[in-house]
């Protein structure tokens, strides 16, 4: 038997809203695009803009509306993004996954229901509904209990009902709204913005906004010819993923990267608010009285403080915006060359840190399609040469030096190089401002080989200074890197060697034509079938510091022999060296005296132990006396060694003080 059909009452359709066609598109490198729409609306007609759900944050951040007919924009409406669980929370029923009809009807007890059995229709109020357990090997049955209009209570098997309808339009409308909310939550693509305005006549409406968009891409062709100046051709690759056709739109592409970010404006924000009560709405706590103790004493309860509720009024600001206007500077298109036969129809202008190419001819790009549009074709200052970097192997790269003489910003992208009507290779170029210069490499030149050798010289002391007891020596080491270049081809070439630029190294020979942050560039003219050597000499200057107090006499001798110090400084260093040797000798005497003192004290201790062991033996009295004489001699030795050690330590302290004074006064 067919399942029963739930019949829903029709709901009024939305008022007709017109779509505004796209008139202008500007694509940026920051992942966004500018759109401008405008069109004519009839009296009482609203405008509708359709967007994807993930575009709404940018639309709400950038949308600007103008009524060109002089009427006022009265409001903007758009499909809400309230979370589904909050939308469904206020409904008196819930529709779960795979929920049975009886379960749904049981949630709306008391609603009026019409049941259709073939040609018969019964009306009643829902008392309840349930699923009846199935008999063995049978399917479960669903039943609804109705209070009929005549007062009878009857149970109906839902499997026998052809259709049912809610007689209560309120329940019917709630069910429709519930299903619409589920449908909108499932459809994440389309969101509509409605523009309402006053005025009884026709109106011209303009709307502009930014939305996420694919980054436009640029590619170039660089053509070298024997009888023509180098030619550069640029193409813009654009993608239409908006879901709307761009029919005869004014299109522009902008080089540069303005700041762009996502602000979550579309999703509703809910705040957790505190619950506040007025004092007279709070129940009074009972007061417990203590027993009498001669005086009546009451428990004191603290009064309930009145909370201050601070509310911030948010005033809606007037919506302001304007369409994108401005005159474009006309730029003559360069003559076409044989490579493409396409004449670019674009105009360029500076926009501060950005540069815009605006296509003067209307462009059509259907939805889900892409297009290649020529935005540049003119001669350019360029010359062929070779570039050598040691880490890339023995062969240099075929390259070109391009000076942007177009008067426009060249957006970064790939370059395909043609030489003599043939394909030569490919390169990448970063964005080049007008007048700037870039090197590109596009192939390996197998007709040139380069080898390198490195020669380092010994360190040379340049200067020696002493101040506050610190000897500072500046040393220099020279290093020569020789490039041996062999040109096998029977033609002259220009070679640029990129020599590494290192910290603390200074060039002594050869002057570079230019320098980058990491390399010097030297340009060399190569004769046909020739071999030549190009040497780059550098010097590294660095410092060494030595504390005079820590330097050994041998180190001081080396410093004193250096020719870069004065005769007076040399004599001072000699005195310091002699004083250090004297201190070293005294220190050695102190160590010897301390060793002798330790040995004598150990011998004295041994004699005392022998005396103690023989003192109780009567026959060993003579030996005990002998040990006593030795003990007295050791005591005398210890006294002499201690006196000598004290004197040596005094001498050592005086010598060290004298050395410290000499070092403190020394400066050169």
């Amino acid at each position: 038997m067919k399942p029963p059909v739930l019949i829903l009452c029709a709901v009024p359709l939305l008022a007709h809203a017109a779509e505004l066609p796209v008139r202008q598109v500007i694509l940026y490198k920051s992942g966004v695009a500018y759109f401008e729409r405008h069109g004519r609306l009839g009296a009482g007609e609203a405008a509708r803009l359709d967007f994807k759900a993930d575009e709404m944050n940018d639309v709400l951040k950038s949308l600007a509306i103008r009524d060109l007919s002089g009427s006022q924009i009265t409001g903007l409406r758009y499909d809400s993004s309230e979370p589904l669980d909050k939308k469904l929370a206020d409904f008196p029923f819930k529709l779960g996954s795979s929920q049975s009809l009886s379960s749904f009807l049981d949630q709306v007890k008391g609603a009026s229901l019409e049941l259709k059995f073939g040609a018969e229709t019964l009306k009643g109020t829902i008392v309840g509904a349930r699923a009846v357990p199935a008999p063995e090997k049978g399917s479960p049955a669903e039943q609804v209990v109705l209070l009929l209009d005549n007062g009878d209570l009857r149970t109906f098997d839902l499997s026998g009902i052809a259709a049912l309808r809610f007689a209560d339009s309120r329940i019917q409308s709630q069910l429709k709204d519930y299903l619409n909310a589920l449908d909108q939550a499932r459809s994440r693509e389309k969101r509509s913005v409605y523009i309402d305005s006053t005025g009884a006549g026709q109106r011209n409406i303009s709307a502009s906004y930014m939305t996420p968009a694919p980054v436009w891409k640029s590619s170039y062709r660089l053509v070298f010819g024997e009888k023509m100046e180098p030619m550069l051709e640029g193409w813009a690759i654009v993608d239409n993923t908006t879901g709307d056709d761009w029919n005869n739109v004014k299109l522009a592409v902008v080089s540069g990267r303005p700041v762009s970010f996502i602000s979550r404006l579309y999703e509703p924000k809910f705040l957790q608010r505190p619950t506040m009560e007025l004092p007279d709405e709070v129940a009074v706590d009972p007061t417990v009285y203590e027993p009498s103790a001669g005086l009546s004493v009451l428990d004191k309860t603290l009064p309930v403080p009145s909370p201050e509720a601070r509310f911030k009024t948010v005033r809606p600001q007037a919506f302001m915006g304007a369409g994108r206007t401005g005159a474009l500077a006309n730029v003559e298109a360069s003559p076409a060359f044989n490579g493409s036969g396409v004449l670019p129809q674009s105009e360029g202008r500076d926009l501060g840190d950005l540069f815009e190419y605006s296509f003067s001819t209307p462009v059509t790009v259907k939805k889900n399609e892409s297009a290649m549009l020529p935005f540049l074709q003119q001669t350019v200052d360029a010359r062929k040469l070779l570039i050598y970097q040691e880490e890339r192997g023995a062969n240099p790269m075929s390259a070109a030096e391009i000076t942007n003489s177009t008067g426009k910003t060249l957006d970064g992208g790939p370059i395909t190089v043609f030489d003599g009507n043939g394909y030569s290779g490919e390169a990448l170029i970063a964005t080049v401002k007008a007048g700037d210069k870039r090197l590109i490499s596009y192939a390996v030149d197998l007709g040139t080989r380069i080898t390198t050798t490195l020669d380092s010289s010994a360190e040379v002391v340049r200067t020696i200074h002493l101040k506050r007891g610190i000897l500072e020596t500046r040393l220099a080491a020279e290093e020569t890197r020789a490039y041996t270049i062999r040109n096998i081809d029977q033609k002259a070439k220009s070679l640029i060697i990129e020599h590494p630029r290192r910290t603390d190294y200074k060039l002594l020979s050869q002057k570079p034509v230019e320098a980058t942050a990491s390399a010097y560039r030297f340009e060399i003219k190569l004769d046909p079938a020739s071999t030549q050597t190009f040497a780059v000499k550098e010097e590294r200057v660095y410092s060494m510091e030595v504390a005079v107090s820590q330097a050994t006499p041998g180190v001081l001798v080396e410093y004193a022999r250096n020719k870069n110090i004065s005769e007076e400084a040399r004599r001072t260093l000699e005195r310091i060296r002699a004083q250090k040797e004297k201190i070293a000798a005294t220190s050695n005497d102190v160590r010897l005296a301390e060793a002798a003192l330790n040995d004598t004290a150990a011998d004295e201790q041994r004699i005392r132990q022998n005396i103690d062991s023989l003192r109780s033996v009567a026959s060993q009295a003579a030996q005990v006396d002998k040990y006593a004489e030795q003990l007295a001699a050791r005591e005398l030795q210890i006294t002499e060694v201690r006196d000598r050690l004290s004197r040596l330590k005094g001498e050592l302290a005086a010598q060290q003080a004298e050395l410290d004074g000499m070092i403190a006064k020394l400066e050169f």
Side-chain angles (χ1 to χ4, degrees), residues 429-546:
I429 189 171
T431 300
V432 187
K433 301 289 283 187
D436 202 357
K437 182 174 63 176
R438 289 289 188 276
L439 292 174
I440 63 169
S441 60
Y442 53 86
V444 177
D445 179 33
L446 300 177
T448 307
R449 292 198 295 270
I450 302 175
T451 58
T452 61
T453 56
L454 183 65
D455 180 29
S456 299
S457 64
E459 297 175 343
V460 177
V461 176
R462 288 290 178 83
T463 59
I464 299 177
H465 297 284
L466 189 148
K467 189 174 183 180
R468 297 179 181 176
I470 302 297
L471 271 170
E472 181 184 8
T473 307
R474 290 184 61 81
L475 302 98
E478 292 185 359
E479 183 178 290
T480 302
R481 188 178 297 270
Y483 297 88
T484 303
I485 309 158
R486 183 184 179 190
N487 180 15
I488 303 172
D489 295 331
Q490 299 297 319
K491 61 180 181 180
K493 302 176 182 178
S494 292
L495 170 69
I496 286 183
I497 292 178
E498 283 206 343
H499 181 80
R501 187 174 181 178
R502 298 173 293 176
T503 306
D504 299 333
Y505 279 81
K506 182 178 69 173
L507 289 174
L508 297 179
S509 67
Q510 309 296 350
K511 185 177 180 180
V513 293
E514 63 183 12
T516 68
S518 60
Y520 297 108
R521 287 175 177 165
F522 301 96
E523 185 168 351
I524 308 165
K525 302 297 182 182
L526 304 181
D527 296 327
S530 63
T531 300
Q532 64 187 87
T533 300
F534 183 83
V536 179
K537 182 180 291 186
E538 295 176 284
E539 178 186 68
R540 176 176 175 247
V541 178
Y542 59 98
S543 299
M544 292 180 58
E545 292 184 351
V546 176

Side-chain angles (χ1 to χ4, degrees), residues 538-592:
E538 295 176 284
E539 178 186 68
R540 176 176 175 247
V541 178
Y542 59 98
S543 299
M544 292 180 58
E545 292 184 351
V546 176
V548 177
S549 60
Q550 303 296 325
T552 64
V555 171
L556 294 177
V557 169
E558 292 297 326
Y559 278 102
R561 292 175 178 174
N562 193 278
K563 63 181 180 180
N564 292 287
I565 65 174
S566 64
E567 186 63 28
E568 182 181 356
R570 184 177 291 107
R571 287 195 298 269
T572 304
L573 287 179
E574 285 291 346
R575 289 197 301 271
I576 292 175
R577 180 195 60 78
Q579 185 69 11
K580 276 184 165 286
E581 290 180 347
K582 184 186 298 184
I583 290 174
T586 305
S587 297
N588 186 59
D589 290 343
V590 169
R591 287 193 296 273
L592 292 176

